[in-house]
Amino acid sequence: ASGQPSDGAELSLLLYNDGTVCDDLFNDNAAAVICRAMGHESAKSWRTAQSWSSSLQAGYPIKLDNVVCDSADFEWNQCRYLTTHNCAHSEDVLLSCGKKQEHCIST
């Protein structure tokens, strides 16, 4: 997964391989898995773009649809998704992740 979720309450457009992610079947489990895959401790919140739609979204193709992670503890490669879609940009996912994970390196 890739993208630039914000640290804090702000929701940001979720990007995957330079495209947006549709909200069909998306849920809290998927949000948690994606935030962790991007190095964050957890997901804070997510919602569909609906009235947020902006010209920013129009510049990206929709790359993922029907993202399903059966558990919030899954890794990204355990989730299922389609790379084809039946979505409009009003269905794009906006995501906010928790703080970045701290990685300790012992020598």
Side-chain angles (χ1 to χ4, degrees):
S2 64
Q4 300 299 321
S6 60
D7 284 327
E10 183 179 336
L11 290 160
S12 298
L13 183 63
L14 177 60
L15 298 177
Y16 176 84
N17 287 343
D18 295 320
T20 64
V21 178
C22 182
D23 70 349
D24 294 349
L25 304 181
F26 198 89
N27 63 20
D28 292 345
N29 289 343
V33 169
I34 289 169
C35 284
R36 271 201 335 279
M38 292 188 292
H40 295 265
E41 290 181 354
S42 62
K44 283 191 166 189
S45 65
W46 71 274
R47 71 172 176 87
T48 188
Q50 291 179 354
S51 62
W52 186 82
S53 296
S54 71
S55 59
L56 172 69
Q57 291 167 268
Y60 293 101
I62 299 170
K63 291 283 186 100
L64 288 185
D65 193 9
N66 294 0
V67 176
V68 176
C69 301
D70 293 325
S71 169
D73 296 324
F74 272 21
E75 297 296 323
W76 175 243
N77 63 3
Q78 295 174 289
C79 298
R80 302 179 308 280
Y81 53 84
L82 297 176
T83 55
T84 58
H85 71 88
N86 60 347
C87 303
H89 280 299
S90 61
E91 298 174 83
D92 288 341
V93 171
L94 303 178
L95 180 63
S96 177
C97 295
K99 67 180 183 175
K100 282 283 203 179
Q101 291 178 341
E102 298 291 328
H103 296 285
C104 297
I105 300 172
S106 57
T107 56

